[in-house]
Amino acid sequence: MYRKKDSLLSYKVAIRQKFEIERKGDFASFLLNPSRALLRDLCVQRFKDNPSKEDLKTFSIFFQFEFDPTTLNKLKAQTDKFRPIETFLKGETDLSPIEGINLAAILVNYQPRPYLKFDKSDLEIDVISVTTNEEIDLEKGKTNSEIIPRSTLKKKIGMAILSAVGLFSVGYTAKEIVLPTRECMQWQVDHYEEVDCTVKGIVSYNSAMPIDQHQFKLKKIEVDSNFVFFKGKKPVVFYCKVNGKPEFFNQLGTHPETEQVLKPISLHIINKYVKHKME
């Protein structure tokens, strides 16, 4: 089970992943290179298309007025309110207000939303890599296609049912039924390792967190000018800056120490921080 903080991070990562898919979909004209004005216009399109009660509530809380086709001029005056969402989707900044995050989910049409529905759902985000729906193993050079978000039921632990006359018994170990092993993960230099949630190890116990199957596969990588950064036109390296310098990783996710959402590599970053460094 995710802690609240981990669940919110997962929600934001899932929204960013959906954005990378949607920016090449039917609304690419709005999302391929989003600006505040384009996101505002996309917002109008989304809310014209049979919005749910939850979406309408998100709109009214965020903008402080109800959505109505007659209030579009009023929405134009709120264009600057889309700036934090713009920079969040581009991976430049984080986004904190819940209603702003929920509005971002509406813009990229991510489900389940709003956050409270996501937090209570059984949906586990395994992998949605940038633009491709592929999980890429950089070390082995293999791709695993057709990996999509899938809804999985939480494991339900069987309860022993004893008859009134005691005719049957259940042959499960009490420990497995009542106290299932709690598995956690902890960042170790350049990768995650499984740790026991209940035991304080040599490394800092506070940095341990419940295993997130997608984040667990994150690895920090070293790159040079000969590194393969793209498969076709699709980035397979992701980064964020720490103290002004980029750190590189093998997949989309959050930085294990700063918790920033990783961004796909670009030619600008390669030229400025990789090739220039080699010269």
Side-chain angles (χ1 to χ4, degrees):
M1 179 180 293
Y2 291 112
R3 295 169 293 180
K4 182 175 181 181
K5 182 178 180 181
D6 300 322
S7 179
L8 184 58
L9 281 173
S10 295
Y11 185 53
K12 289 192 283 188
V13 169
I15 291 171
R16 277 277 295 114
Q17 292 173 331
K18 188 63 160 58
F19 161 70
E20 296 294 346
I21 294 172
E22 288 291 306
R23 70 190 304 193
K24 292 193 175 182
D26 294 337
F27 291 90
S29 57
F30 298 99
L31 294 173
L32 189 59
N33 187 22
S35 65
R36 284 164 281 176
L38 286 173
L39 291 177
R40 177 202 65 208
D41 294 343
L42 175 59
C43 183
V44 173
Q45 294 297 319
R46 294 295 195 193
F47 278 90
K48 281 184 176 179
D49 187 22
N50 300 318
S52 67
K53 291 182 179 180
E54 291 91 347
D55 288 352
L56 289 171
K57 183 178 180 180
T58 294
F59 183 96
S60 63
I61 294 176
F62 188 81
F63 292 107
Q64 296 299 301
F65 59 86
E66 304 292 330
F67 175 80
D68 188 290
T70 62
T71 63
L72 297 185
N73 287 332
K74 196 172 182 179
L75 185 61
K76 288 183 179 180
Q78 303 291 320
T79 301
D80 282 344
K81 294 197 72 172
F82 288 92
R83 180 174 177 79
I85 298 176
E86 172 197 346
T87 55
F88 165 70
L89 292 178
K90 289 179 177 179
E92 297 172 356
T93 62
D94 193 10
L95 188 60
S96 297
I98 290 294
E99 294 308 322
I101 300 170
N102 287 336
L103 187 64
I106 294 171
L107 294 177
V108 302
N109 197 27
Y110 175 76
Q111 292 285 5
R113 64 174 188 263
Y115 168 67
L116 289 180
K117 186 178 290 186
F118 172 90
D119 189 44
K120 294 176 182 178
S121 73
D122 289 326
L123 185 67
E124 295 179 358
I125 303 302
D126 286 341
V127 175
I128 317 174
S129 70
V130 174
T131 73
T132 64
N133 286 351
E134 292 181 344
E135 179 186 13
I136 301 175
D137 186 336
L138 291 179
E139 292 184 351
K140 297 180 180 179
K142 297 179 180 178
T143 62
N144 184 10
S145 301
E146 304 301 329
I147 297 180
I148 60 175
R150 60 178 180 265
S151 188
T152 59
L153 294 176
K154 292 179 180 179
K155 291 184 178 180
K156 296 183 178 180
I157 302 173
M159 300 299 293
I161 303 176
L162 301 178
S163 66
V165 293
L167 293 178
F168 302 99
S169 63
V170 180
Y172 294 109
T173 304
K175 180 181 177 181
E176 293 176 341
I177 296 176
V178 181
L179 297 173
T181 301
R182 292 183 60 203
E183 295 295 340
C184 284
M185 64 183 190
Q186 191 172 54
W187 183 251
Q188 303 290 337
V189 184
D190 60 0
H191 67 285
Y192 281 101
E193 289 186 3
E194 291 188 29
V195 295
D196 188 338
C197 298
T198 62
V199 178
K200 294 184 179 181
I202 298 176
V203 291
S204 172
Y205 172 73
N206 291 329
S207 63
M209 60 185 293
I211 288 182
D212 179 322
Q213 292 301 327
H214 173 56
Q215 184 77 3
F216 185 74
K217 300 169 186 174
L218 186 74
K219 294 180 181 179
K220 187 176 180 180
I221 57 177
E222 297 293 332
V223 302
D224 57 33
S225 59
N226 295 319
F227 199 88
V228 177
F229 294 95
F230 301 90
K231 296 286 185 178
K233 296 182 179 180
K234 301 168 184 175
V236 295
V237 176
F238 306 87
Y239 78 98
C240 75
K241 291 183 180 179
V242 179
N243 297 324
K245 296 182 180 180
E247 295 185 358
F248 302 98
F249 296 85
N250 67 323
Q251 65 175 38
L252 190 64
T254 57
H255 191 285
E257 296 169 338
T258 68
E259 297 185 349
Q260 298 177 74
V261 176
L262 301 178
K263 296 181 285 188
I265 195 74
S266 66
L267 291 176
H268 171 72
I269 294 297
I270 296 171
N271 291 331
K272 183 175 181 179
Y273 293 99
V274 180
K275 292 186 176 180
H276 178 72
K277 180 180 178 182
M278 301 298 294
E279 293 176 354

